[in-house]
Amino acid sequence: MYCGFGHADSGFVPIFIYAIFGSSRQISIGPAALTSLLVSNVLGKIVDSSDALYTELAIVLTLMVGILECIMGLLRLGWLIRFISHSVISGFTTASAIVIGLSQAKYFLGYEIDRSSEIVPIIKSIISGADKFSWPPFVMGSIILAILQTMKHLGKSRKHLKFLRAMGPLTAVILGTSSAKIYHPSSITLVGDIPQGLPSFSIPKGFKHAKSLIPTTLVITGVAILESVGIAKALAAKNGYELDSNQELFGLGAANVLGSFFSAYPTTGSFSRSAVNHENGAKTGLAGVITGIVMCCALLFLTPVFEYIPLCALAAIVISAVISLVDYEEAIFLWRVGKKDFLLWTITAITTLFFGIEIGVLIGVGFSLAFVIHESANPHIAVLGRLPGTTVYRNIQQYPEAYTYNGIVIVRIDSPIYFANTSYIKDRLREYEIVVDKLTRRGPQVGRIYFVVLEMSLSYKKNVAFDSTAAVTYIDTGAVQALKELHHEYKSRHIQIAISNPNRNVLLMLSKSGVVELIGKEWYFVRVHDAVQVCLQHVERIKEDHMASGSDSSPEETESSLFKSLLKQRGEDSSVAELESGTNNKPSDLKHSDPLSEPLLFQKS
């Protein structure tokens, strides 16, 4: 199989190292089909697999992968996995499984096919060599594959037969080896000689080719993050304990670094073997240690037996394993639930199939990050209305029964405000100024918007200081400048901004930048309802003043004079502490004052 020299060594030394430094109790460390394919593809382009340099380069690659993983763990970069969506992982895994499965076809067909991580060259090679087809390996491989699939199905569907799933690979090896020993078929290729004994210590060589191995090092490390950390977190959640992704990365890195000194090639956590560990009740890292001990015994005493294992039997085991990784059900689910995630799944799968695993990973992660950036630059903004009989304000699209007020638009921004999304937010606010007025159903009848209330929190809990629940958790200098521009733009059209419930950090930023003074301290409120009370009072005054003005003045002149009078009503300058206490925005003088009004932030007694 791929990098056959190192499978045993990779399944021995790294296991013990990971047991010391790793944090997962169920994950199984060792050679993985996807990693083997990556190693085989990149090294096959540099040197022939029979050359001694091939082995040296694989060991150097192990060392490079381990160093990068250790660095990421020490720098606590495990959070990077959060930016890779589940759709990318599923699409990448599905395409990789197909490529791995097709790459095993040569052991079934009996002739060599081109080694590639792209599907087109593999299929062309299979078709062009069809005249060399051999029946014996195809029949043996197909029978063993059918047995494996049957045992796997029975193990999944019937609890009392679940041991069959774990015994499948062992059964395949026994059947294949027995057939080869009894019939000695010349047309079936066997594993051949495997060095007996434990791996010896040696310093990695071949560093002059290290530069050409950097791209593959990055991809293999990415696969380790996706596969190992992903499955480790899932198993940790199922078994009720917390997993430190940074420690997990360091554990993998240490296993690869030290493993490289014992002729191991890159190892990662395995989906299938880890699942077997979990299903068989592994609760501690001792399961891995026992696996390592068994590998030690095999290297010492059983290597002569392994010489007679047919390669088609091993290929059947690999194909049986990767079949379960073809996640077409996830694609159907994504199509039904989220078209954008389905698009991401499709892009990743297609690029991985047709352009190679390395490019597929890069493009998939690139599109995933592009979607994250797009969502961040175009945040969700909701127009709020008051639920009947309450002082609760919710999205009018989600709650059609919620009503708005004439002359007032209440907007909630569901993200931090920073330089990348300020233009989008300003454009949406301009739209709401025109469109939302048609939805108003309560309050004095006025012809346009006079107040824009910016709600900066997601929820309100009485008697709780709720900084941590704020939707607008952060603003930068770009957002500050945008608020100043928006204020001046609104001021020219006689519109007043009111801000509801900014958290402390946002409030301090607004204060230091002068936005609090610019807008006016009295226009900062504890709740949306407090802001609406104040705004409603002024809308009523606008209505009364406009009616009292008669025909002697135009509506524009009335609005301008009233807007100026509102500016004069601002209180005297006060500190941020006073603003937080709410002493400057209590609606005590309102006709519709609410006894539930509370200070912006509660002071300690």
Side-chain angles (χ1 to χ4, degrees), residues 366-428:
F367 270 92
S368 182
L369 291 176
F371 283 174
V372 171
I373 293 171
H374 179 268
E375 290 295 327
S376 178
N378 299 271
H380 179 260
I381 302 176
V383 176
L384 306 184
R386 183 177 177 178
L387 296 180
T390 72
T391 58
V392 176
Y393 291 76
R394 291 292 182 265
N395 188 342
I396 59 175
Q397 292 185 347
Q398 185 176 358
Y399 296 90
E401 68 274 18
Y403 55 83
T404 57
Y405 291 95
N406 291 304
I408 305 171
V409 59
I410 309 162
V411 178
R412 188 187 69 213
I413 302 170
D414 293 337
S415 81
I417 307 175
Y418 68 112
F419 66 93
N421 62 18
T422 53
S423 295
Y424 175 81
I425 291 172
K426 288 167 65 177
D427 290 342
R428 293 299 300 273

Side-chain angles (χ1 to χ4, degrees), residues 76-96:
R76 306 192 66 81
L77 297 179
W79 57 269
L80 290 173
I81 193 174
R82 302 173 194 168
F83 291 94
I84 304 175
S85 74
H86 176 71
S87 303
V88 169
I89 298 175
S90 177
F92 168 73
T93 303
T94 296
S96 300

